Amino acid sequence: RTIKPLTGRMGAPTFKLQERFFNYLDRRGFGERAIEVCQRYQLRYAVTGAWKGRIVFPVYMPELTCWTGRTITKEARVRYKTLSPVLEEDGCRAVRPITDCLLEFGDLSKSSGSLLLICEGPLDALKLDFFGAKLGKVRATCLFRKDISEHQRALLFELAPRYRRIGLVLDADAHLDYQSLLSRLQPLPVEGVYLPMGIKDPGDLSPQQTWEFLEHILTT
């Protein structure tokens, strides 16, 4: 297979191939924690084939059900490429469409906390979930878009009793989407959560900004 585990082990034969993927995560605000993030969420990478130049986010429901890959280069025309339920050239296919999945659902359905945050994309969710776990109270998932399917809605209803509060965190340009999504999530008590001024999306937050953002939500 062309998709391989992103381990970051110094001295490993594939370390040089992986290095630019860690550099991308560093630039996206994970810094020295990038290796820990890759291990925690079982991230993958590809330097050849259909997923070339992408960090791959596996989706477990709780078994591996689908995955999506985010390009690390500015040259790519499409930022995200997602595995289809239709058999692809490399012999892979999704068990179900990604629009019927929630990132980290398998783990979220076995944990609990003060706050569950719903984001648009996987990088946003990983940023909030990883640093939120350090607080011991916050978890995060994503819808993979600015919309929600009925299956995703049902999954959130399943998760809701495990978390005291649920917040919806969209990108800064998604003001019109908040009301639509909040109305579709009723009767779940989901609240709109807005990013700090000047931040485009949760994935752009630095570690310190992320902790301050999460602490602000928890105390308001």
Side-chain angles (χ1 to χ4, degrees):
R1 288 183 180 271
T2 60
I3 299 176
K4 303 181 183 299
L6 193 51
T7 62
R9 286 180 296 158
M10 294 293 291
T14 58
F15 180 73
K16 281 296 181 183
L17 293 176
Q18 298 180 44
E19 194 170 13
R20 62 193 182 107
F21 294 90
F22 286 108
N23 290 338
Y24 172 78
L25 291 172
D26 185 1
R27 295 195 304 272
R28 293 307 305 267
F30 289 103
E32 62 187 15
R33 302 169 180 86
I35 292 177
E36 186 182 350
V37 169
C38 291
Q39 294 171 344
R40 164 70 179 83
Y41 299 102
Q42 302 179 57
L43 301 188
R44 304 290 195 268
Y45 76 104
V47 293
T48 60
W51 303 88
K52 179 180 178 180
R54 295 179 184 274
I55 290 179
V56 176
F57 303 84
V59 181
Y60 293 94
M61 298 290 297
E63 71 285 348
L64 179 61
T65 302
C66 190
W67 63 71
T68 187
R70 208 286 186 196
T71 181
I72 63 170
T73 66
K74 295 181 179 179
E75 292 76 24
R77 291 185 298 174
V78 180
R79 283 195 304 168
Y80 281 99
K81 172 182 169 63
T82 300
L83 186 66
S84 168
V86 178
L87 191 65
E88 299 192 358
E89 291 181 9
D90 58 4
C92 298
R93 63 179 173 187
V95 176
R96 66 171 68 165
I98 203 165
T99 51
D100 284 351
C101 301
L102 293 176
L103 190 69
E104 287 295 292
F105 177 80
D107 192 46
L108 292 171
S109 62
K110 295 182 290 186
S111 64
S112 60
S114 297
L115 177 66
L116 173 64
L117 293 172
I118 307 165
C119 307
E120 289 183 42
L123 199 61
D124 302 330
L126 262 56
K127 176 70 68 68
L128 298 180
D129 191 74
F130 179 76
F131 289 103
K134 301 293 185 181
L135 296 174
K137 303 174 182 178
V138 183
R139 299 299 312 269
T141 186
C142 77
L143 304 172
F144 305 101
R145 54 181 180 157
K146 291 184 176 72
D147 201 357
I148 187 169
S149 69
E150 283 303 310
H151 200 91
Q152 287 174 321
R153 187 172 179 271
L155 293 173
L156 286 171
F157 270 82
E158 187 176 334
L159 294 177
R162 295 180 168 272
Y163 300 90
R164 286 175 48 207
R165 296 168 62 191
I166 304 175
L168 177 66
V169 188
L170 300 180
D171 292 357
D173 62 355
H175 295 293
L176 297 178
D177 300 287
Y178 268 98
Q179 198 55 48
S180 172
L181 276 172
L182 288 171
S183 64
R184 293 187 64 187
L185 285 166
Q186 291 181 357
L188 280 177
V190 181
E191 56 194 273
V193 178
Y194 297 89
L195 291 167
M197 188 70 68
I199 300 297
K200 180 183 175 183
D201 60 53
D204 285 341
L205 293 165
S206 69
Q208 185 60 38
Q209 287 174 323
T210 306
W211 277 316
E212 291 174 357
F213 175 59
L214 295 175
E215 289 280 14
H216 175 73
I217 301 169
L218 289 169
T219 56
T220 56

